[in-house]
């Protein structure tokens, strides 16, 4: 009896092998997608903040996180029930032996002591119950971790206590501003004035502090001296995130997400297909996009390997055009592009009806004549 019933236990993993393997594979694939998404979103955090897409990115990640948790729960349950079933079948052999012993005891073919000894084997029945209980404890622990992760987006930052800029920026003034950037570099007595509707080029050698002007307004701490006024309000009392939402920063490094062209332009915000097409047309990239097999739904591979540098920069520009902002900061966005592509991208921006503060290392005479002021950092 023991031999026959014990052999049955090997049927459990054989019968459930496909289900267990497929549930685990679904979980690992879901986890891989989730981790790729997190890596991409964190790598492009500046773009996400600049275009006020934090909420949309968090919503996307929350959905992916929930999907991964459900796949993990299903995989774990499948594994636990399979282990429990195998344990019950395995210990079933001892239960059958126990029943047989009771029969033999009533017919005086076995002593009571022998029956008691065999009943101790019933402890094995508790083993699968313990396995199930441990599985439930782990699942409950996952729920707690998930709840803690969901609470993270609601935590307040230092920006929450500062006033938001909601109106368009009319003027930015830096009056005798000094700020220590590192042990060997500081902004020193900087006085500048940026007014609405004008185009400004900031030029100078590498390391002269060009990008530090933008970072002072959007990233660096408040440990500066002098005055920085945005629409007449001191920068130290303003939420810098709100400045970037009104005046987005286009960076030298093009942040592209492992997703479709459409989602890379909208950043998961609510824009129509027509609006996206119009933005891509203004950026000079739509003719290329519409020739792709999937068009707007064409997936951009990791690090944008299936697009050229100029094409990726134009997709990034389409984000700016889509939001129709009246002011933008450009941080050497044409660096690394060929002269013809760089000229075309910069010309499109300068032809727009917006305030442009452009940090550039290219000195094209035709383009430089389009700026109202050229500031040289030394």
């Amino acid at each position: 009896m023991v031999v026959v019933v014990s052999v049955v236990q090997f049927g459990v993993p054989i019968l459930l092998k496909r289900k267990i393997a497929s549930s685990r594979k679904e979980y690992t694939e879901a986890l891989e997608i989730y981790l790729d998404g997190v890596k991409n979103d964190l790598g492009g955090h500046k773009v996400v903040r600049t275009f006020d897409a934090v909420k949309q990115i968090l919503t996307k990640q929350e959905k992916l996180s929930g999907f991964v948790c459900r796949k993990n729960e299903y995989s774990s349950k499948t594994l636990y029930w399979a282990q429990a079933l195998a344990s019950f079948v395995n210990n079933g052999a001892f239960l059958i032996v126990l029943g047989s012993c009771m029969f033999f005891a009533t017919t005086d073919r076995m002593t009571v002591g022998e029956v008691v000894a065999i009943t101790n084997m019933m402890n094995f029945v508790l083993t699968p119950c313990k396995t199930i209980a441990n599985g439930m404890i782990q699942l409950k622990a996952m729920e707690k971790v998930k709840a803690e992760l969901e609470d993270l987006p609601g935590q307040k930052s230092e920006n929450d206590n500062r006033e938001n800029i909601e109106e368009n920026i009319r003027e930015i003034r830096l009056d005798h501003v000094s700020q220590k950037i590192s042990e060997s570099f500081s902004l020193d007595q900087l006085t500048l004035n940026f007014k609405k509707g004008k185009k400004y080029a900031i030029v100078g050698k590498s390391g002269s502090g060009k990008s530090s002007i933008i970072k002072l307004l959007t990233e660096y701490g408040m440990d500066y001296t002098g005055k920085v006024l945005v629409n007449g309000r001191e920068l130290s009392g303003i939420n810098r995130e709100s400045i970037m939402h009104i005046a987005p920063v286009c960076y030298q490094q093009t942040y592209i997400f492992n997703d479709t062209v459409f989602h890379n332009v909208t950043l998961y915000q609510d824009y129509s297909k027509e609006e996206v097409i119009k933005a891509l047309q203004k950026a000079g990239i739509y003719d290329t996009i519409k020739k792709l097999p999937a068009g707007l739904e064409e997936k951009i591979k990791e690090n944008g390997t299936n697009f050229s540098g100029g094409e990726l920069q134009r997709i990034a520009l389409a984000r700016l055009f889509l939001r129709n902002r009246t002011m933008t900061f450009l941080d050497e966005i044409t660096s690394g592009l060929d002269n013809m592509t760089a000229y075309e991208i910069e010309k499109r921006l300068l032809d727009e009806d917006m305030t442009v503060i452009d940090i550039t290392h290219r000195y094209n005479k035709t383009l430089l004549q389009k700026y109202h002021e050229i500031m040289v950092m030394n």
Side-chain angles (χ1 to χ4, degrees):
M1 287 181 191
V2 172
V3 171
V4 171
V5 180
S6 293
V7 168
V8 177
Q9 70 177 307
F10 297 110
V12 175
I14 292 173
L15 289 172
L16 298 179
K17 179 181 178 181
R18 181 173 295 178
K19 190 173 180 115
I20 295 170
S22 99
S23 66
R24 179 54 57 176
K25 183 180 180 182
E26 287 177 9
Y27 165 62
T28 54
E29 287 176 346
L31 187 61
E32 184 178 355
I33 293 171
Y34 174 69
L35 292 176
D36 280 345
V38 170
K39 182 179 71 173
N40 275 287
D41 293 343
L42 289 177
H45 72 95
K46 288 184 177 180
V47 171
V48 172
R49 290 169 54 215
T50 294
F51 290 105
D52 195 18
V54 174
K55 183 178 179 181
Q56 287 74 19
I57 293 295
L58 286 175
T59 300
K60 182 193 76 166
Q61 290 299 348
E62 184 180 358
K63 289 179 181 178
L64 278 174
S65 175
F67 176 69
V68 171
C69 284
R70 288 193 297 274
K71 288 295 182 183
N72 189 25
E73 183 177 357
Y74 173 69
S75 175
S76 298
K77 281 182 177 179
T78 303
L79 183 61
Y80 293 144
W81 280 111
Q83 290 173 339
L85 183 58
S87 296
F88 275 121
V89 172
N90 181 36
N91 296 324
F94 295 104
L95 293 176
I96 292 173
V97 172
L98 177 61
S100 302
C101 288
M102 296 292 289
F103 170 76
F104 292 140
T106 57
T107 56
D108 295 329
R109 285 189 257 178
M110 186 174 286
T111 65
V112 174
E114 290 171 329
V115 173
V116 171
I118 292 175
T119 56
N120 288 330
M121 286 189 257
M122 289 196 65
N123 289 327
F124 289 105
V125 178
L126 300 177
T127 303
C129 295
K130 184 178 180 181
T131 301
I132 295 172
N134 287 336
M136 291 180 66
I137 290 170
Q138 290 182 45
L139 292 173
K140 289 295 182 183
M142 283 170 50
E143 291 178 1
K144 184 176 180 181
V145 172
K146 184 171 181 285
E148 290 176 353
L149 289 172
E150 288 173 345
D151 286 340
L152 287 177
Q155 293 181 2
K156 293 186 177 294
S157 71
E158 62 177 12
N159 266 323
D160 294 333
N161 298 321
R162 297 191 177 119
E163 188 178 0
N164 287 327
I165 286 274
E166 296 180 357
E167 74 276 11
N168 288 331
I169 295 176
R170 301 181 303 274
E171 182 183 42
I172 297 176
R173 283 183 53 203
L174 282 70
D175 188 6
H176 293 90
V177 173
S178 296
Q179 184 179 39
K180 184 176 181 179
I181 308 302
S182 67
E183 290 300 323
S184 59
F185 179 77
S186 298
L187 293 177
D188 184 34
Q189 294 293 308
L190 197 62
T191 297
L192 297 172
N193 196 13
F194 304 108
K195 292 187 177 181
K196 180 181 177 181
K198 292 190 174 183
K199 310 290 193 291
Y200 299 89
I202 302 176
V203 301
K205 295 180 180 179
S206 178
S208 61
K210 302 186 298 296
S211 296
S212 295
I213 296 174
I214 292 178
K215 291 179 179 178
L216 168 67
L217 295 167
T218 59
E219 294 183 37
Y220 287 158
M222 298 298 181
D223 55 339
Y224 61 84
T225 60
K227 290 184 178 181
V228 181
L229 302 176
V230 180
N231 287 355
R233 291 144 68 184
E234 182 58 52
L235 178 66
S236 58
I238 297 174
N239 181 343
R240 295 194 194 187
E241 298 279 336
S242 68
I243 294 177
M244 289 195 294
H245 299 163
I246 292 172
V249 184
C250 292
Y251 296 95
Q252 176 180 345
Q253 181 179 354
T254 306
Y255 292 100
I256 293 294
F257 302 95
N258 188 20
D259 209 321
T260 63
V261 172
F262 184 85
H263 284 149
N264 264 283
V265 177
T266 64
L267 295 179
Y268 310 97
Q269 293 174 304
D270 189 20
Y271 291 98
S272 68
K273 182 179 178 180
E274 290 72 24
E275 289 174 309
V276 172
I277 290 174
K278 186 177 179 181
L280 289 167
Q281 287 173 334
K282 290 182 74 173
I285 186 66
Y286 182 63
D287 288 343
T288 301
I289 299 298
K290 70 180 182 181
K291 293 177 184 177
L292 298 174
L296 290 175
E297 297 304 314
E298 186 77 14
K299 186 140 184 206
I300 301 179
K301 295 180 181 178
E302 188 172 357
N303 298 323
T305 53
N306 53 335
F307 285 80
S308 70
E311 289 169 342
L312 295 176
Q313 192 61 270
R314 289 175 189 271
I315 290 173
L317 282 182
R319 294 171 182 161
L320 176 65
F321 294 145
L322 180 64
R323 286 151 183 84
N324 197 28
R325 297 296 190 246
T326 59
M327 182 177 188
T328 185
F329 298 99
L330 309 177
D331 190 359
E332 297 199 59
I333 63 167
T334 57
S335 176
L337 301 180
D338 63 84
N339 289 331
M340 185 177 295
T341 304
Y343 176 86
E344 180 60 28
I345 287 176
E346 194 169 344
K347 182 178 181 299
R348 285 180 180 273
L349 281 163
L350 292 174
D351 288 341
E352 286 294 310
D353 183 20
M354 66 168 66
T355 309
V356 174
I357 301 173
D358 183 13
I359 294 169
T360 181
H361 66 286
R362 294 179 182 271
Y363 307 138
N364 182 287
K365 183 178 179 180
T366 304
L367 290 179
L368 287 177
Q369 288 175 338
K370 289 178 175 287
Y371 290 97
H372 293 88
E373 291 185 30
I374 299 173
M375 303 171 174
V376 182
M377 296 291 289
N378 191 355

